[in-house]
Amino acid sequence: MQAMVFAAGLGTRLKPLTDTMPKAMVSVGGRPLLWRVLMGLRDAGVGRVVVNVHHFSDQITRYLADNGNFGMDIRISDETDRLLDTGGGLKKAAPLFCGDAPILIHNVDIMSNVQLASFYASAAGPDATLLVSERQTKRYLLFSADMRLVGWTNIETGEVRSPYPGLDPRSCRMYAFSGIHVFSPRLFPLMQPFPDKFGIIDFYLRACAQADIRGCLMPRLRLLDVGKLDTLAAAEEFVAGAGGGAGAAPVG
């Protein structure tokens, strides 16, 4: 198993904490967010992890070195010169992965009760599998009845993005993206026409007409985006409810 942790973001919604540290090093339950994601990946059996860095990148690289990479094969994808967004970050990191094994991708500021090993195993067939939830939001991914990605919509503005002209969101299954997904290296060639900087959802929305990109809705999913100051208290409660471990009790 191999994985990538998106840890390069500026963390502007976590200011003033991120005025002096990267978002990945913000502490929840006495441990950095990066530690919590890495421990979840290690427990799932991931061997190689690529971590992209940009904002206060030296703090992340020093933390990993001081802890012996927590016994994992961790490679750094350095975006210090320019932040490349999620899609561009994955494209830049392509040479750091091993062969054609699927890549489990995890945002550093996401906490969940997902059993990552089970999710990874279930995502072995499609070109990409996106973990989704029924949480309330303004922006939804759109799926066909068999959970194939067909588009995206903003229900507040009515905007629809899809490679399928005239797609009606009312005919689709609508779910929110979790920030956790499995990506097959088979998709890297489709990224070549993209610029250096782009979002991974932009890529998925363009590629879904020619690649098998699926959604995975898990029952009893607990998901917390720790990207804002007002979610830190909830994150502390989340960790306390999990007995202080890296995550909550897993669901398959």
Side-chain angles (χ1 to χ4, degrees):
M1 289 180 65
Q2 56 184 344
M4 181 168 186
V5 179
F6 286 143
L10 297 174
T12 53
R13 296 179 299 164
L14 282 170
K15 284 178 170 289
L17 295 177
T18 48
D19 287 337
T20 57
M21 69 175 71
K23 175 170 56 177
M25 295 304 296
V26 170
S27 178
V28 171
R31 296 281 194 171
L33 288 170
L34 179 60
W35 179 87
R36 297 200 170 276
V37 174
L38 288 176
M39 292 306 100
L41 294 173
R42 190 176 73 177
D43 291 348
V46 173
R48 174 169 295 188
V49 182
V50 175
V51 179
N52 68 343
V53 295
H54 172 79
H55 187 55
F56 291 111
S57 59
D58 60 315
Q59 293 188 30
I60 295 177
T61 54
R62 190 183 317 120
Y63 174 71
L64 293 172
D66 289 348
N67 288 279
N69 285 339
F70 300 101
M72 306 172 74
D73 178 6
I74 296 181
R75 309 295 174 95
I76 296 296
S77 184
D78 192 349
E79 299 178 24
T80 303
D81 291 341
R82 184 188 180 198
L83 190 60
L84 300 177
D85 206 340
T86 49
L90 178 58
K91 180 181 178 182
K92 176 181 171 65
L96 300 176
F97 296 108
C98 301
D100 57 359
I103 302 161
L104 176 58
I105 302 173
H106 203 301
N107 288 0
V108 78
D109 55 0
I110 294 296
M111 298 176 65
S112 78
N113 63 340
V114 175
Q115 188 178 77
L116 294 174
S118 294
F119 174 57
Y120 184 87
S122 71
D127 295 313
T129 301
L130 287 55
L131 183 67
V132 295
S133 71
E134 295 179 311
R135 67 180 172 86
Q136 299 299 305
T137 182
K138 293 183 293 186
R139 294 171 290 274
Y140 289 95
L141 293 175
L142 303 175
F143 297 90
S144 63
D146 61 353
M147 289 299 287
R148 185 160 183 165
L149 181 67
V150 293
W152 171 98
T153 188
N154 182 322
I155 60 172
E156 190 173 80
T157 65
E159 180 186 1
V160 176
R161 295 172 56 196
S162 171
Y164 302 100
L167 180 71
D168 185 348
R170 294 172 297 181
S171 67
C172 302
R173 302 176 71 174
M174 300 170 57
Y175 297 114
F177 182 45
S178 70
I180 303 172
H181 43 131
V182 174
F183 175 97
S184 170
R186 295 190 299 267
L187 290 175
F188 278 129
L190 294 182
M191 282 187 166
Q192 293 313 306
F194 280 73
D196 290 340
K197 181 176 181 178
F198 62 96
I200 191 63
I201 294 299
D202 295 332
F203 169 75
Y204 284 147
L205 290 175
R206 189 182 303 180
C208 66
Q210 51 189 314
D212 186 11
I213 300 174
R214 303 276 173 166
C216 176
L217 180 67
M218 287 191 172
R220 304 180 307 281
L221 176 65
R222 291 183 61 209
L223 190 75
L224 184 64
D225 180 348
V226 199
K228 298 183 291 185
L229 281 175
D230 60 6
T231 60
L232 285 178
E236 296 284 349
E237 295 177 3
F238 192 101
V239 170
V251 295

